Amino acid sequence: MPCFESPVDGARLHFVDHGPATGQVAVFVNSSYLGTEMWEYQMLPLAEAGYRCVGFDRRGHGRSDDVWGGFDLDSLADDVDGLLRHLDLREVTLVGHSVGAAEVVRCLTRHGSGRVSRVVLVAGMTPGLVRSADHPEGVDPALVETGNETFRRDRAAFFEDGARAFLALDLPGNELSDAYVRSLINRCLGSTARAGTALGDLVLTLDVAPELAKIDLPVLVVHGTHDVSAPLELTGRRAAQLLPDSTLKVYENAGHGLFATHREQLTADLREFMSGS
């Protein structure tokens, strides 16, 4: 099983590397709770089309080491950079979903863009979700704390109860099989309780707004109209406004899990963006 050692603490982090070694590189950074399997509808067709698709399981997720520490944003970003360096990847398109989008942003502002040429923020939690002095329209932190407490009390129910809203299954065009939804819940349960709790706490303080203005690369921002985890106006649209060179694509009726419900649209948009057209 291919792994690399985290530059933070030596934790063994599992990665996948699909497609031709000479192909244009896309590196995928996952949502909270999920491993690289979440990107199956993007990585497989892109790899078959000649792209090199790389991803890794965040610490405490999937097949990576179950560790206690390293869930601060700097450490998580260092793990992303560690993968790029381990495989000596160049001219990368960095693709991050949800909290993974914040890891992508911090990786760039912390380590520079020498290995990266383009960025995609998919249903990102960026710039930040929670109300603050600089973001008075944000979500009441007490609501996030309540959700985090629900997770601590019964994370199985947390995933089960939240799946329909996560995928916006009650809206037209978002048909997924019960089997797929069940598999997604099971994948979420594959992350450790420690990892999930730590990332929930991270969302409470997440604020990368000042960093977005420093990203001197083309950025594609993809967001759904019905994302209840990261509402469009608080995250995707705000991120696009703060980025110097961004394109915002809004998916009608899409929720946070648009990588599944809008799989073909997302894959096509990734391919178009990576082609530079």
Side-chain angles (χ1 to χ4, degrees):
M1 185 173 71
C3 294
F4 71 101
E5 289 191 358
S6 164
V8 176
D9 54 9
R12 288 175 55 80
L13 306 178
H14 172 262
F15 70 90
V16 298
D17 189 349
H18 298 324
T22 56
Q24 186 177 352
V25 183
V27 173
F28 293 83
V29 184
N30 311 329
S31 174
S32 301
Y33 320 125
L34 293 168
T36 54
E37 296 89 349
M38 68 169 282
W39 299 107
E40 63 181 296
Y41 298 123
Q42 286 73 52
M43 294 182 77
L44 182 58
L46 287 172
E48 290 173 340
Y51 294 86
R52 183 180 181 184
C53 295
V54 178
F56 76 107
D57 292 343
R58 183 189 292 105
R59 54 182 57 234
H61 290 63
R63 288 160 284 186
S64 290
D65 280 355
D66 178 5
V67 294
W68 179 258
F71 292 101
D72 60 285
L73 192 56
D74 281 353
S75 295
L76 295 172
D78 290 352
D79 286 345
V80 177
D81 184 67
L83 175 65
L84 303 185
R85 294 180 183 279
H86 175 75
L87 295 175
D88 193 24
L89 300 175
R90 307 279 177 173
E91 297 297 314
V92 168
T93 298
L94 265 181
V95 185
H97 179 270
S98 191
V99 170
E103 292 169 61
V104 165
V105 170
R106 181 60 57 84
C107 178
L108 290 170
T109 57
R110 187 168 167 83
H111 296 284
S113 58
R115 294 177 179 271
V116 181
S117 60
R118 296 173 185 273
V119 178
V120 185
L121 307 180
V122 181
M125 287 284 182
T126 49
L129 188 64
V130 174
R131 182 188 305 154
S132 66
D134 296 327
H135 186 209
E137 300 84 10
V139 175
D140 185 344
L143 293 178
V144 179
E145 290 173 341
T146 297
N148 289 348
E149 181 55 36
T150 300
F151 179 90
R152 289 185 177 90
R153 185 168 58 249
D154 189 342
R155 64 192 181 105
F158 177 88
F159 294 134
E160 183 86 28
D161 296 343
R164 293 195 68 82
F166 179 87
L167 296 161
L169 292 179
D170 296 326
L171 295 175
N174 295 344
E175 293 79 15
L176 293 169
S177 69
D178 291 342
Y180 177 83
V181 176
R182 171 55 57 190
S183 74
L184 196 68
I185 293 169
N186 288 339
R187 289 171 184 172
C188 288
L189 286 167
S191 62
T192 67
R194 164 59 182 166
T197 299
L199 291 179
D201 291 340
L202 177 62
V203 169
L204 269 171
T205 59
L206 184 64
D207 181 8
V208 295
E211 298 171 55
L212 292 179
K214 301 176 182 178
I215 297 179
D216 58 350
L217 298 171
V219 183
L220 174 62
V221 179
V222 176
H223 224 94
T225 58
H226 289 72
D227 189 328
V228 297
S229 300
L232 171 63
E233 299 300 325
L234 300 182
T235 54
R237 199 177 300 281
R238 184 165 165 248
Q241 292 169 348
L242 291 168
L243 288 158
D245 182 7
S246 70
T247 300
L248 173 64
K249 290 204 172 186
V250 177
Y251 290 7
E252 190 66 29
N253 288 339
H256 205 52
L258 54 80
F259 56 86
T261 57
H262 291 64
R263 63 187 75 174
E264 294 178 358
Q265 185 176 357
L266 177 58
T267 301
D269 283 340
L270 290 174
R271 191 167 180 177
E272 179 184 22
F273 182 64
M274 287 189 287
S275 74
S277 60

